[in-house]
Amino acid sequence: MKAMRDAAEKHEYQAEVNRMMKLIINSLYRNKEIFLRELISNASDALDKIRFMSLTDPNVLSATSDLKVMIKPDKENHALHIIDTGIGMTRQDLVKNLGTIAKSGTSEFLAKMEEGENMSQDLIGQFGVGFYSSFLVADTVVVTSKHNDDEQYVWESDAGSFSVSKDPRGDTLGRGTQISLFMKEEAYDFLEEHTIKDLVKKYSQFINFPIHLWTSKTEKVEEPVDEEEKPEPKEGETDDDVKVEDEDDEKPKVKMVDKTVYDWETMNDNKPIWLRAPRMSNRRTTTPSIRASARTAMSPSPTFTSPLRERSPSDPSFTFPRLHLMTFTKTTAKPLTTSKCTSRECSSPTISRK
């Protein structure tokens, strides 16, 4: 890695990026957890792009057809890895997309951040600068990416400048992007499994692609017991008595021990209803969140007030709604008689009054 860093091309950030970096690192953004939402959203976009391309050219999925997002915490190295099998980026893409920002919207974003009046959690995602939220929690960000049209490259930054170099390890991703965040000390909590699960459930439950988390759990497993030395005869026992006991216990001895097992766990099993098969989209399979949304939509809005309730009957301007009803009184009603029409054009009896 040291040789790769020495041979890497050094680049300076665009002036607007430097200005924005300082604002982000100075913690104007208090809700730091949104970094994971933004990175997963970017990964989902990359997967969408390769999926759409595969509709006209199936060969773009030759490296792997498994479209997914993977999150792997590394507590030992204080790193969090977000990996996708999306379209990936070429060397030029890394320099252009991660080193500069489109001017449209950038000045407005910076103005809103400097004002600090409305620092909502959606602000950073509204202007297409979600990737830079990585520096809310990380001192160093390393992006490894492989595009079908280029070799695998590594982009690295400490928020001051960035470098791009060819990956000496070769093609390890096949296709896609891996973002590695080397966390700040105050952000170590984002390496905990329960924290990541809560954030995925909160922000990214209905991402169109599966999100897998590298998890660990403890299981009870059988382990053979090491052979012990031959026991010495006790007082009053002979060697023949010890041999008889050994013959009775011929089965191998095992003991139950705790073992840590690592595996990928899917975080977003509940697919959006529009992605389910028609036979699966019924009342029983409707997720609790969708049910809650339906109940909310069907319940009266607390902010809506009926015009009739805004004014009381004692108000001079109050009038009851006019009802158009047909009324018949005894004095005006006349007996009805039926007469047949003599014209050939009439095909049904008519009603007339005397």
Side-chain angles (χ1 to χ4, degrees):
M1 290 296 291
K2 187 178 182 301
M4 182 189 72
R5 289 190 178 114
D6 293 339
E9 301 175 6
K10 306 294 190 300
H11 297 267
E12 294 296 329
Y13 278 113
Q14 189 183 21
E16 287 83 356
V17 180
N18 265 329
R19 185 179 163 199
M20 183 185 59
M21 289 286 194
K22 292 177 182 178
L23 291 171
I24 291 177
I25 294 172
N26 289 335
S27 300
L28 286 179
Y29 233 89
R30 295 181 180 180
N31 193 12
K32 298 184 178 183
E33 65 184 29
I34 56 96
F35 82 93
L36 189 59
R37 179 196 67 184
E38 295 299 325
L39 295 182
I40 292 178
S41 178
N42 290 347
S44 178
D45 291 343
L47 291 167
D48 271 328
K49 289 179 181 178
I50 197 68
R51 181 166 62 91
F52 290 144
M53 291 178 64
S54 67
L55 297 178
T56 55
D57 183 10
N59 293 328
V60 297
L61 298 178
S62 58
T64 176
S65 59
D66 191 8
L67 304 181
K68 60 186 176 181
V69 180
M70 296 170 285
I71 304 174
K72 187 174 184 179
D74 182 2
K75 293 184 180 180
E76 184 177 351
N77 296 311
H78 307 301
L80 182 65
H81 308 283
I82 296 94
I83 310 157
D84 68 72
T85 56
I87 192 171
M89 288 181 282
T90 63
R91 176 193 167 280
Q92 185 177 359
D93 292 336
L94 289 170
V95 175
K96 181 180 178 181
N97 297 341
L98 303 185
T100 60
I101 315 177
K103 271 232 159 147
S104 58
T106 305
S107 57
E108 187 180 352
F109 172 79
L110 293 172
K112 285 186 177 293
M113 285 198 70
E114 288 177 339
E115 288 172 6
E117 295 179 359
N118 183 19
M119 298 304 297
S120 65
Q121 64 184 19
D122 292 326
L123 180 61
I124 202 167
Q126 291 175 0
F127 297 94
V129 292
F131 168 77
Y132 300 101
S133 63
S134 305
F135 292 99
L136 291 169
V137 296
D139 289 318
T140 303
V141 178
V142 178
V143 179
T144 306
S145 194
K146 173 67 174 70
H147 191 280
N148 286 334
D149 298 335
D150 206 346
E151 298 179 282
Q152 185 165 304
Y153 280 85
V154 178
W155 179 97
E156 184 175 353
S157 175
D158 58 358
S161 60
F162 67 93
S163 61
V164 179
S165 60
K166 186 177 176 180
D167 196 336
R169 299 169 298 179
D171 182 2
T172 60
L173 295 176
R175 187 197 65 246
T177 301
Q178 173 178 314
I179 300 177
S180 301
L181 309 180
F182 293 89
M183 311 296 279
K184 299 176 182 178
E185 186 175 354
E186 63 268 22
Y188 285 173
D189 183 56
F190 292 111
L191 298 173
E192 300 294 334
E193 288 182 16
H194 66 88
T195 303
I196 299 174
K197 288 181 179 180
D198 291 343
L199 292 179
V200 171
K201 184 176 181 180
K202 180 178 180 181
Y203 291 124
S204 308
Q205 187 177 8
F206 293 129
I207 289 291
N208 298 345
F209 303 94
I211 301 175
H212 305 300
L213 174 64
W214 185 249
T215 59
S216 62
K217 59 182 178 179
T218 303
E219 295 181 349
K220 293 282 187 180
V221 296
E222 293 183 352
E223 188 175 281
V225 179
D226 296 336
E227 294 184 1
E228 299 178 356
E229 295 181 0
K230 183 178 179 181
E232 296 181 359
K234 298 180 181 179
E235 294 182 3
E237 291 183 347
T238 62
D239 292 340
D240 294 336
D241 295 332
V242 175
K243 289 180 180 179
V244 172
E245 291 179 2
D246 292 341
E247 291 175 358
D248 294 339
D249 193 14
E250 293 180 354
K251 296 182 179 180
K253 294 182 179 181
V254 295
K255 61 180 179 179
M256 301 300 293
V257 297
D258 293 334
K259 185 177 180 180
T260 303
V261 180
Y262 294 90
D263 198 5
W264 293 104
E265 180 180 346
T266 304
M267 296 289 96
N268 55 340
D269 289 330
N270 295 329
K271 292 184 178 180
I273 194 170
W274 57 87
L275 290 178
R276 299 177 187 174
R279 64 179 181 275
M280 298 297 293
S281 300
N282 53 44
R283 188 173 181 179
R284 293 184 178 181
T285 59
T286 305
T287 59
S289 60
I290 295 178
R291 290 180 184 174
S293 300
R295 285 195 297 268
T296 303
M298 294 176 66
S299 62
S301 173
T303 59
F304 173 77
T305 305
S306 172
L308 294 179
R309 295 183 181 179
E310 289 180 354
R311 295 174 293 174
S312 64
S314 60
D315 189 343
S317 62
F318 175 82
T319 56
F320 284 101
R322 182 176 298 175
L323 301 179
H324 298 277
L325 300 177
M326 295 183 65
T327 59
F328 296 90
T329 62
K330 190 174 182 179
T331 58
T332 58
K334 295 181 180 181
L336 303 178
T337 61
T338 60
S339 62
K340 295 184 179 180
C341 180
T342 59
S343 174
R344 294 181 180 180
E345 296 179 357
C346 295
S347 59
S348 60
T350 61
I351 300 175
S352 64
R353 297 183 184 270
K354 288 185 176 180

